Amino acid sequence: MQIKVLGSAAGGGFPQWNCSCRNCTLVRKGIFPGKVRTQAQIAVSADNRSWFLLGACPDLRAQIEVSPELHPRDGLRQSPIAGVVLSSGDLDHVLGLLLLRELQPLRVYATPSIQRLLREDNSMFAMLNRVSAQALWTDIIPAETFALASSAGESCGLKCEPLPLSSRYPAYTRRHRAAEFAPCEALLGLIIEDKSGNRFAYMPAMSQVDDGLLQVLESTDLLFFDGTFWQDDELIKIQGSGQTAGEMGHIPVSSERGSLHRLATLRRPRKIFIHINNTNPMLDESSAEFSEIQKAGWELAEDGWNIQL
Ligand SMILES: [Zn+2]
């Protein structure tokens, strides 16, 4: 299968429009020792005919334009993008759906609760269903593997295993609605597998790692993992206030309970951090933090990467 990294930053991108942290400031001065990044977005295909997006981020329009694989091929109105798999209702993960509203048939996979959150509580998403041959919403049942199919129902050579990770719904969810939604349908990790058994995991928002999850990750060839924050109190240190990484649903990269340490025993998968916040010091490729992740066998996802499994 072909995997394309369309974007690799956390929400806000890098640089972030209203941020003047050290990293963002050095980018604007043109002297940052590292790469700029758009917001996290993965695309995957088994046949280079039908592509599936994992989430739909707010930078999607520009990301599609710089990716020839995703350009129209046949006819005046057409797209190789066959579907979108939503793993949560976070804005950074769903706003791009609104950019795909041009009456194109598209299958959208989401848990029933995320569908209710988007379609019943946020009227703008009705733009995806103005005509009958448009978004075809399809249920994801947590922990039940399903085949990825085009809106016409054609199997595309990939299957997806959705792992329930957290009961936390996005901050914009009204409290009484969150209480109505199924706790296991809030946030999923996605494992994508092709017909040859090649597997990769996409987990850009992880609050903890237990032994069961470690076993699952060891069964993959490639892991995209939450690289949002280096430290738990990163934003508080920079801004003087705010939430910890843990409070925002992210395990930090460093420290005893961080991902470098917790995932150190993984042997099989190639390990790549994605969803990297603009404040994270490991973005600076001259930093001690960048050296540390490299020594531990990790890479930082970059926009435009193509990976063949
Ligand atoms: Zn910044």
Side-chain angles (χ1 to χ4, degrees):
M1 74 180 122
Q2 270 175 273
I3 301 160
K4 192 146 175 107
V5 179
L6 301 179
S8 50
F14 178 47
Q16 177 177 311
W17 69 283
N18 67 340
C19 186
S20 61
C21 72
R22 177 184 177 274
N23 288 349
C24 290
T25 301
L26 291 181
V27 168
R28 293 193 183 101
K29 285 183 178 168
I31 54 171
F32 183 69
K35 319 282 187 316
V36 299
R37 285 169 165 85
T38 61
Q39 295 170 91
Q41 179 68 54
I42 295 284
V44 58
S45 175
D47 54 13
N48 193 22
R49 229 165 41 88
S50 301
W51 284 83
F52 290 86
L53 303 175
L54 306 187
C57 91
D59 291 323
L60 194 51
R61 197 202 71 85
Q63 292 169 338
I64 291 170
E65 281 311 309
V66 296
S67 306
E69 304 92 326
L70 304 180
H71 293 172
R73 301 174 191 184
D74 312 303
L76 180 64
R77 290 278 193 274
Q78 192 271 340
S79 172
I81 297 173
V84 182
V85 184
L86 299 181
S87 58
S88 78
D90 285 345
L91 281 186
D92 301 332
H93 197 71
V94 303
L95 273 180
L97 277 180
L98 297 173
L99 309 177
L100 302 175
R101 65 187 179 281
E102 281 82 13
L103 309 182
Q104 183 69 33
L106 198 68
R107 193 177 288 270
V108 182
Y109 292 95
T111 61
S113 296
I114 295 297
Q115 290 181 52
R116 290 174 66 195
L117 174 63
L118 298 183
R119 302 183 68 197
E120 294 174 10
D121 298 0
N122 293 278
S123 58
M124 275 191 285
F125 285 88
M127 292 299 281
L128 293 168
N129 290 98
R130 291 168 67 209
V131 298
S132 58
Q134 204 177 344
L136 184 64
W137 295 83
T138 304
D139 286 353
I140 296 178
I141 308 300
E144 276 189 22
T145 299
F146 57 95
L148 294 179
S150 69
S151 60
E154 297 165 325
S155 174
C156 299
L158 294 171
K159 56 186 183 179
C160 176
E161 184 183 344
L163 301 175
L165 294 179
S166 157
S167 57
R168 175 197 182 100
Y169 281 92
Y172 66 83
T173 311
R174 284 173 290 184
R175 198 174 297 166
H176 75 278
R177 289 292 273 170
E180 291 169 17
F181 296 153
C184 65
E185 294 185 1
L187 174 69
L188 305 168
L190 303 177
I191 295 184
I192 307 291
E193 184 174 327
D194 69 13
K195 285 183 171 161
S196 307
N198 300 307
R199 290 157 62 80
F200 80 94
Y202 182 53
M203 306 199 165
M206 295 295 299
S207 54
Q208 57 179 354
V209 175
D210 60 26
D211 292 343
L213 182 77
L214 276 177
Q215 270 187 3
V216 173
L217 298 182
E218 187 62 22
S219 75
T220 64
D221 303 292
L222 171 65
L223 167 62
F224 290 108
F225 196 82
D226 185 338
T228 313
F229 297 113
W230 182 259
Q231 284 178 300
D232 195 45
D233 59 354
E234 186 167 314
L235 284 187
I236 298 170
K237 272 194 175 143
I238 288 173
Q239 301 171 165
S241 64
Q243 291 182 304
T244 63
E247 285 165 351
M248 296 172 76
H250 298 287
I251 179 176
V253 172
S254 69
S255 84
E256 196 70 3
R257 63 167 291 272
S259 49
L260 274 187
H261 185 250
R262 291 290 293 134
L263 301 180
T265 55
L266 287 183
R267 288 293 167 262
R268 180 172 160 191
R270 176 178 173 186
K271 296 178 288 188
I272 302 177
F273 283 120
I274 198 165
H275 196 271
I276 309 156
N277 199 57
N278 59 82
T279 52
N280 193 323
M282 70 183 180
L283 284 168
D284 180 339
E285 293 170 16
S286 67
S287 67
E289 290 85 353
F290 183 71
S291 298
E292 189 175 338
I293 67 124
Q294 280 194 311
K295 276 187 201 128
W298 284 81
E299 300 164 76
L300 296 190
E302 293 180 16
D303 295 15
W305 270 8
N306 284 301
I307 299 173
Q308 191 85 36
L309 274 189

